[in-house]
Amino acid sequence: EVQLVESGGGLVKPGGSLRLSCAASGISFSHAWMSWVRQAPGKGLEWVGRIKSNTDGGTADYAAPVKGRFTISRDDSKNTLYLQINSLKTEDTALYYCTTPYSGYDYGFNYWGQGTLVTVSS
Amino acid sequence: SYELTQPLSVSVALGQTARITCGGNNIGSKKVHWYQQKPGQAPVLVIYRDSNRPSGIPERFSGSNSGNTATLIISRAQAGDEADYHCQVWDSTTKYVFGTGTKVTVL
């Protein structure tokens, strides 16, 4: 059974930082291209960024609203994905999902975690 | 940047057919994926690459994509189909793009 379990969310003041984690099991994590997707309260889904597998270069891409503030990394020895969020803004308040297009980069996101909530408020 | 537009809501009578559209510039040249999201739950992939169903997804769910519009079709709608539905494509510039989301109500 595939499991993606996010953690690290919480309440943080504007300008603060957080590191989110996503622990994966049931998949060949080292071969998986992983993404973060967020959903603000009552809103739609928004892709945040992705990291390729290290065998495919391990590079990361980001959505324009978060570029320069968010950093995605991975530790294949721990089957864990990370999202470092800096300079948090109130508009970053959202449920952050870890997900993967495991069948291929353009085959849809077929595995999702349950999300971790980030609330940015003074 | 590439954008996808969906109707805010769609209503369908029990047992009838719901059609949810996803509009984008020349979306027919891209592969469209659809997700179902029930309240308090993570999204679930219901259609990938325009018209393919992952294992476990009922045949009542189908999809099409042509021109500037992709469509998710729910046949013989059931109460359990009430959910938000999101379309998504991969774009070479914007990378992954999601639609604005559609709330489906079964009457």
Side-chain angles (χ1 to χ4, degrees), chain A residues 39 47 97 105-106 109 113, chain B residues 33 35 37 42 48-49 96 98:
Chain A
Q39 187 170 35
W47 177 75
Y97 291 104
Y105 79 93
D106 199 13
F109 294 106
Chain B
H33 318 292
Y35 304 86
Q37 186 180 28
Y48 68 95
R49 296 178 74 82
Y96 294 103
F98 285 94

Side-chain angles (χ1 to χ4, degrees), chain B residues 61-96:
Chain B
F61 288 85
S62 61
S64 66
N65 182 22
S66 178
N68 292 318
T69 305
T71 304
L72 174 68
I73 301 159
I74 308 174
S75 304
R76 302 182 299 282
Q78 300 179 358
D81 297 333
E82 278 204 348
D84 292 330
Y85 290 84
H86 311 270
C87 59
Q88 177 253 311
V89 300
W90 187 86
D91 174 74
S92 59
T93 300
T94 320
K95 300 297 183 278
Y96 294 103

Side-chain angles (χ1 to χ4, degrees), chain A residues 59-82:
Chain A
T59 55
D61 297 287
Y62 301 93
V66 308
K67 202 168 185 178
R69 297 189 299 122
F70 288 21
T71 302
I72 299 175
S73 61
R74 63 191 300 155
D75 185 339
D76 290 347
S77 69
K78 296 181 179 179
N79 286 353
T80 301
L81 176 73
Y82 301 101

Side-chain angles (χ1 to χ4, degrees), chain A residues 5-84:
Chain A
V5 180
E6 303 94 335
S7 61
L11 175 63
V12 62
K13 289 181 168 49
S17 298
L18 271 181
R19 188 175 84 155
L20 309 183
S21 299
C22 170
S25 60
I27 60 171
S28 178
F29 181 78
S30 63
H31 293 101
W33 291 23
M34 302 296 298
S35 274
W36 288 96
V37 172
R38 68 183 179 182
Q39 187 170 35
K43 302 296 185 182
L45 301 171
E46 179 186 22
W47 177 75
V48 169
R50 69 118 185 246
I51 187 166
K52 297 180 179 179
S53 64
N54 282 322
T55 53
D56 289 318
T59 55
D61 297 287
Y62 301 93
V66 308
K67 202 168 185 178
R69 297 189 299 122
F70 288 21
T71 302
I72 299 175
S73 61
R74 63 191 300 155
D75 185 339
D76 290 347
S77 69
K78 296 181 179 179
N79 286 353
T80 301
L81 176 73
Y82 301 101
L83 178 64
Q84 178 68 42

